[in-house]
Structures are given as C-alpha cells and as structure tokens.
Amino acid sequence: MGLKGFVEGGIASVVAGCSTHPLDLIKVRMQLQGETTQPALALHSTSTHAPPHPPAPKAGPIAVGIKLVQQEGVVALYSGVSATVLRQLLYSTTRMGLYDMFKNKWSDPNAGGSMSLSRKIAAGLIAGGIGAAVGNPADVAMVRMQADGRLPPAQRRNYNSVLDAITRMVKNEGVTSLWRGSSLTVNRAMLVTASQLASYDEFKEMILKKGLMRDGLGTHVTASFAAGFVASVTSNPVDVIKTRVMNMKVEPGAEPPYSGALDCAMKTVRAEGPMALYKGFIPTITRQGPFTVVLFVTLEQVRKLLKNF
C-alpha cells in the first residue's frame, strides 16, 4: 500500500474532522468549565476564614452550544477549523498511514490476512504516538482558537488562522510552546488510535465472521460507532488534562498555572473532584461517535475508489 494508505487516511480524516468540528469545539469549552486562571488559589481556599464559594453549575452540551451561538454567532462553531484541517493532515494522515503499513506487514496469511488483537493494539500505539508528535503544533493552535471566545475580550488571543497562531506562539512564547502538552497529546493519541483503529478492525471482523451482516455500509457504521465509544471512554481523562495544559496562558515572569500534566491532573481532581476528568464526556462521545463513523465510512469508500490505482 505504502503512500496510498496515507492518502486514503488523510482524505477520510479531513472529511471527518470538518464534519464534526462544532461538536469538538463544544467539548473543549465544556472541559474548561470550572477551571480558574490561578488553580493554586482553589487549593488553599479552605485555609481562609471566608466560606468557599459554591461551584457554579456546569452547563450541558446543548446549553454550551446555544450560549456560544448567542454570544459569538453561528460562525463561532467553526472557530479554529483551519487548525483542525492542518491537524488532520499532519496527525491523522500519519497515524492512519502508519497503521495501514503495520497492518500489511504484521498480518498473518494463515489467518485470512488479519492481525491478532495484540498486534492491532501495538500498531495503534506506535502509529498514534508518532502521528501526535508530528501534529502537536496544530493541536495546540486548535485548542487555543476553540477556547478563545470564552475569555474576556481583553484576554483573547484573536488568532486569524492556524498559521497566525503558530507564528505568534513562536514569536511570543518560543518554539517549544508548539509542543506544549506534547506528552499528553502523544499519550492520548496512542490510546485513541489503539482503541479506535484496533477495535474497528476487531468489531468488523467479528461481525463478518459471525455472519451478522455483510461487508457493507451497515457493518462499517456499526463497527465504527462501537470503536468510537471505546475510544471515548479510554481517552477522555487524558483529553481533559491535555486541553487545560495547552490552553493555559503563561504571563512573562509569572509562574504557569500548571507545571505539567501530573500537576494539572492533581489540581483538577482536588479542586473539582475526580469526575472532572470526565468533563465533556457527552460531547466527546457525541463527537467521537460521528467522527469515527464518518472516518471509517469515508475511508472504506475512498479505498473502493482508489482500489485500481
């Protein structure tokens, strides 16, 4: 397959990413609910004599979406879409292409050309990690552009495009800012790719072997939605921490809100409880389900179109 796998995966990923971008934006906004600009203050609030303020009620995905449209307009649903396209071209094209390469090399001819589940997971872990490292700059830009509208006007970054975001980040914060939260991005991508791609292949093979459905649209939709659910449950905690680390605003000469992923996780759990790691799960599964369905249905169709090339 070689380059063909990268082309097929890239086309399917861009279509899926653009189709579900508004859901991803709502997910990011929900994951940032309850976050303070100075998390450390929340940890020490009990040491003061003043009674702690009750936490503000958390809005659901529909309420977040309605508020977003009312305050920022319908076009805000596609804030950061240029970064999504770049992210899919870098991250998803790489992971889909590499997974396809591993699949071709590691498939067992004696088992009908399929891979064992352990090999599928290993292929997903490796492909996801490499893809995330390649696509991290676009990922940071995407999170910031999606989250910008929730900030007070004076604090907004107001990036014009993904290229503007990356250029200004390098200029104001240094090249290393492009890989802020990269360890989280890599860990999340490894989990997502291993669970998403491996489980899709596993569910699809199971459906076909048991004769539940033929190899067609019904099988592709069923297997991909199941894969999306598995990927959502596996990756949501890492996704919450990744979003917060990437979105944190570091003022010159000031201590950053989080020193790293572990610090962010601990402060989040202490201030908001362990279930804070599953903030945005409903929009995550609402987005991950359709994204995975569009991804694999498009991928299967693209494969048919490019079969003779």
Side-chain angles (χ1 to χ4, degrees), residues 21-30 59-80 145-151 156:
H21 183 82
L23 296 172
D24 193 46
L25 188 146
I26 290 171
K27 177 203 72 174
V28 167
R29 295 292 180 91
M30 288 189 70
I62 296 176
V64 170
I66 291 173
K67 183 180 178 182
L68 190 151
V69 171
Q70 288 176 339
Q71 294 184 347
E72 303 171 47
V74 177
V75 293
L77 291 171
Y78 274 88
S79 296
M145 291 174 76
Q146 289 179 333
D148 211 35
R150 68 182 284 274
L151 297 172
R156 291 178 188 173

Side-chain angles (χ1 to χ4, degrees), residues 1-308:
M1 295 286 283
L3 184 61
K4 191 177 175 185
F6 288 88
V7 174
E8 293 170 347
I11 293 171
S13 298
V14 170
V15 171
C18 290
S19 301
T20 59
H21 183 82
L23 296 172
D24 193 46
L25 188 146
I26 290 171
K27 177 203 72 174
V28 167
R29 295 292 180 91
M30 288 189 70
Q31 289 175 339
L32 293 171
Q33 284 187 115
E35 184 186 37
T36 61
T37 53
Q38 293 177 304
L41 294 179
L43 300 180
H44 301 296
S45 61
T46 55
S47 64
T48 64
H49 295 292
H53 294 289
K58 305 299 186 291
I62 296 176
V64 170
I66 291 173
K67 183 180 178 182
L68 190 151
V69 171
Q70 288 176 339
Q71 294 184 347
E72 303 171 47
V74 177
V75 293
L77 291 171
Y78 274 88
S79 296
V81 71
S82 61
T84 291
V85 172
L86 181 60
R87 177 178 180 268
Q88 297 301 335
L89 288 173
L90 296 176
Y91 159 62
S92 287
T93 299
T94 301
R95 72 177 183 124
M96 298 288 283
L98 288 175
Y99 182 82
D100 193 65
M101 285 177 59
F102 290 134
K103 197 162 129 181
N104 290 324
K105 288 186 177 182
W106 294 353
S107 293
D108 185 359
N110 298 321
S114 64
M115 278 196 300
S116 64
L117 180 58
S118 60
R119 285 191 174 187
K120 289 172 187 168
I121 293 173
L125 290 171
I126 297 170
I130 296 173
V134 172
N136 201 82
D139 209 1
V140 178
M142 182 185 72
V143 167
R144 290 189 174 195
M145 291 174 76
Q146 289 179 333
D148 211 35
R150 68 182 284 274
L151 297 172
Q155 296 180 23
R156 291 178 188 173
R157 299 178 175 104
N158 294 317
Y159 296 133
N160 296 321
S161 66
V162 63
L163 295 179
D164 178 49
I166 290 174
T167 302
R168 283 167 57 185
M169 283 165 60
V170 171
K171 182 179 178 181
N172 299 330
E173 304 171 53
V175 177
T176 56
S177 66
L178 297 178
W179 275 270
R180 180 171 293 156
S182 58
S183 62
L184 289 164
T185 307
V186 169
N187 289 334
R188 178 189 177 276
M190 291 172 73
L191 291 173
V192 168
T193 305
S195 57
Q196 187 185 61
L197 302 189
S199 60
Y200 173 76
D201 283 344
E202 196 71 14
F203 284 125
K204 180 182 172 183
E205 289 170 13
M206 181 184 70
I207 291 170
L208 295 176
K209 281 181 182 178
K210 291 184 179 293
L212 301 175
M213 285 186 278
R214 293 180 299 171
D215 188 4
L217 184 61
T219 297
H220 302 157
V221 171
T222 303
S224 57
F225 193 84
F229 180 79
V230 173
S232 298
V233 172
T234 304
S235 65
N236 202 88
V238 180
D239 200 26
V240 171
I241 303 306
K242 176 183 79 74
T243 296
R244 294 191 172 196
V245 170
M246 286 183 169
N247 186 59
M248 69 176 176
K249 197 164 188 176
V250 182
E251 300 293 343
E255 186 177 341
Y258 308 116
S259 60
L262 183 60
D263 180 53
C264 179
M266 291 177 67
K267 286 178 177 176
T268 298
V269 171
R270 286 175 184 170
E272 304 167 52
M275 288 309 295
L277 297 178
Y278 273 91
K279 275 186 176 180
F281 179 74
I282 297 301
T284 293
I285 186 62
T286 303
R287 182 258 180 189
Q288 192 69 261
F291 175 87
T292 310
V293 169
V294 175
L295 175 68
F296 287 114
V297 168
T298 305
L299 180 65
E300 297 283 3
Q301 296 305 311
V302 171
R303 280 175 176 168
K304 286 183 181 179
L305 290 172
L306 299 181
K307 192 173 182 179
N308 298 322

